[in-house]
Amino acid sequence: MNWYPWLNETYRQLVTSYQQGRGHHALLLHSLPGNGAEALCYGISRWLICQNTDGLKSCGKCHSCQLMLAGTHPDYHVLEPEKGKNTISVEAVRKLTDILSSHAQQGGAKVAYIPRTEALTDAAANALLKTLEEPTPQTYFLLGCEKRESLLATLRSRCLYTFLSPPELQTAWYWLQKQVAGLNYNDALTALKLCQGAPIAAMSLLQPEHWQQRTTLCHALAHALQQGDMLSLLPVMNNDKALEQIGWVLGLLSDSMKLQQQAAQFCLNQDQLPLASILASRMSKEKLFDVYEAWQNCRHQLLTVPALNQELLLTNQLLQWEALIALPTA
């Protein structure tokens, strides 16, 4: 697994606490997607399981380290939703807790890593509580989450909470330069802003095919505004990336409202300020806010309503937007 330089300080703090006997047996790591939380949890797990640690590092040579590198360590458990499912069942948690109640097969630590703790059903989370409260010796839990507020309060209270903040802009920019050939600063800045500063997510967005999808949407939106035909956006948006496309539209609408308030420096889409400016000139702040709320509601429906007709929902949303643009601006 790759390592990222902005993880060093958090890793050092957490491993030092374990080294000094102050480490909590259950760590709740809150992080943005694409910020490297998985690598951090794996690094901490390597150190906890290593039989011959070298200061703050795992030795990489002992039998446990070799098993971890091979992905076959019997005392390292990753709990994720089964293939084709979005949640972790109570049965999966009970199976894990049964395993953790036994002696470690390698005679050292046992580590359970749950990358998406939000995926636990309420029953599964409740089944985990007793083990979190009274774990067997040398048993550690690393719980990753992106939305801490969605977790049961009783689960959160049994963990040590740590937030993995994204790196400083210059650190992220320096790293991205090494990962993406020919990258210009404006594109990097935009990608980082769109990804809330998470460099790995920004790198994914900057990949040519992915970045081109956003460029295509922006060009289509500019054309739709020029022609007064917002429905022409439907072929661009009605696909399996619709949620991300809506997120990009929301970002542009947000930027247009910022431009109306003379706050260009806070815009997300630094490379698309002319497009945001067109939006700002075509719609009043009241209309922009209404459209923004409508797109938020559209995204929420797509996320939460099963078997929703995506094409029909997007069509309705685009027609409403077109009608608002057609109305004279006060």
Side-chain angles (χ1 to χ4, degrees), residues 110-128:
K110 294 169 288 182
V111 177
Y113 171 41
I114 307 179
R116 291 180 53 239
T117 309
E118 303 97 324
L120 292 168
T121 63
D122 285 353
N126 282 315
L128 190 61

Side-chain angles (χ1 to χ4, degrees), residues 37 55 221 283 286:
L221 176 54
M283 306 180 75
E286 291 80 14

Side-chain angles (χ1 to χ4, degrees), residues 114-246:
I114 307 179
R116 291 180 53 239
T117 309
E118 303 97 324
L120 292 168
T121 63
D122 285 353
N126 282 315
L128 190 61
L129 292 179
K130 184 172 177 58
T131 305
L132 281 177
E133 191 168 10
E134 299 176 359
T136 53
Q138 284 194 284
T139 300
Y140 300 94
F141 291 88
L142 301 176
L143 310 181
C145 74
E146 295 174 7
K147 297 178 180 178
R148 181 179 60 153
E149 66 278 4
S150 67
L151 304 180
L152 293 179
T154 46
L155 187 148
R156 297 198 306 265
S157 68
R158 287 163 171 78
C159 302
L160 175 68
Y161 172 77
T162 298
F163 177 66
L164 178 62
S165 59
E168 295 290 333
L169 176 60
Q170 288 306 313
T171 301
W173 160 238
Y174 181 73
W175 182 80
L176 280 171
Q177 280 183 295
K178 294 184 175 181
Q179 311 305 316
V180 182
L183 180 63
N184 69 67
Y185 182 76
N186 222 29
D187 286 352
L189 180 60
T190 297
L192 285 166
K193 283 177 174 287
L194 289 172
C195 298
Q196 299 177 274
I200 305 166
M203 180 181 69
S204 174
L205 176 56
L206 287 163
Q207 296 307 305
E209 183 178 352
H210 201 176
W211 195 247
Q212 183 57 46
Q213 289 170 357
R214 175 177 168 275
T215 302
T216 298
L217 174 69
C218 291
H219 288 167
L221 176 54
H223 179 76
L225 288 167
Q226 183 181 25
Q227 300 298 318
D229 179 17
M230 305 312 290
L231 194 58
S232 65
L233 284 170
L234 185 63
V236 179
M237 298 185 70
N238 185 34
N239 50 54
D240 58 357
K241 301 289 186 181
L243 285 170
E244 185 173 37
Q245 303 263 8
I246 292 172

Side-chain angles (χ1 to χ4, degrees), residues 40 68 70 78 84 95 113 142 174 177 205 223 271 303 306 313:
L40 178 61
M68 285 291 288
V78 181
K95 181 178 178 181
Y113 171 41
L142 301 176
Y174 181 73
Q177 280 183 295
L205 176 56
H223 179 76
D271 64 333
L303 281 167
L313 183 67

Side-chain angles (χ1 to χ4, degrees), residues 76-88:
Y76 177 64
H77 310 278
V78 181
L79 186 59
E80 296 183 284
E82 294 178 11
K83 189 175 182 179
K85 296 185 178 180
N86 296 319
T87 59
I88 299 172

Side-chain angles (χ1 to χ4, degrees), residues 196-321:
Q196 299 177 274
I200 305 166
M203 180 181 69
S204 174
L205 176 56
L206 287 163
Q207 296 307 305
E209 183 178 352
H210 201 176
W211 195 247
Q212 183 57 46
Q213 289 170 357
R214 175 177 168 275
T215 302
T216 298
L217 174 69
C218 291
H219 288 167
L221 176 54
H223 179 76
L225 288 167
Q226 183 181 25
Q227 300 298 318
D229 179 17
M230 305 312 290
L231 194 58
S232 65
L233 284 170
L234 185 63
V236 179
M237 298 185 70
N238 185 34
N239 50 54
D240 58 357
K241 301 289 186 181
L243 285 170
E244 185 173 37
Q245 303 263 8
I246 292 172
W248 292 336
V249 169
L250 285 167
L252 288 163
L253 289 167
S254 174
D255 285 350
S256 64
M257 289 187 274
K258 292 170 187 173
L259 288 178
Q260 288 182 342
Q261 300 299 319
Q262 308 300 315
Q265 69 272 29
F266 298 110
C267 288
L268 300 175
N269 299 274
Q270 291 292 320
D271 64 333
Q272 293 292 338
L273 291 181
L275 175 56
S277 182
I278 294 172
L279 275 169
S281 67
R282 293 291 302 274
M283 306 180 75
S284 67
K285 62 181 180 181
E286 291 80 14
K287 287 181 181 179
L288 280 171
F289 184 76
D290 288 344
V291 172
Y292 186 89
E293 277 203 322
W295 277 114
Q296 278 194 317
N297 183 54
C298 179
R299 182 171 64 175
H300 179 72
Q301 289 185 67
L302 287 173
L303 281 167
T304 59
V305 180
L308 191 65
N309 188 320
Q310 176 177 288
E311 183 175 3
L312 186 61
L313 183 67
L314 291 173
T315 299
N316 182 59
Q317 179 59 36
L318 290 167
L319 287 173
Q320 287 183 24
W321 193 1

Side-chain angles (χ1 to χ4, degrees), residues 51 64 73 75 103-110 138:
Q51 297 168 338
S64 282
H73 200 295
D75 298 317
H103 291 293
Q105 293 190 38
Q106 293 297 310
K110 294 169 288 182
Q138 284 194 284

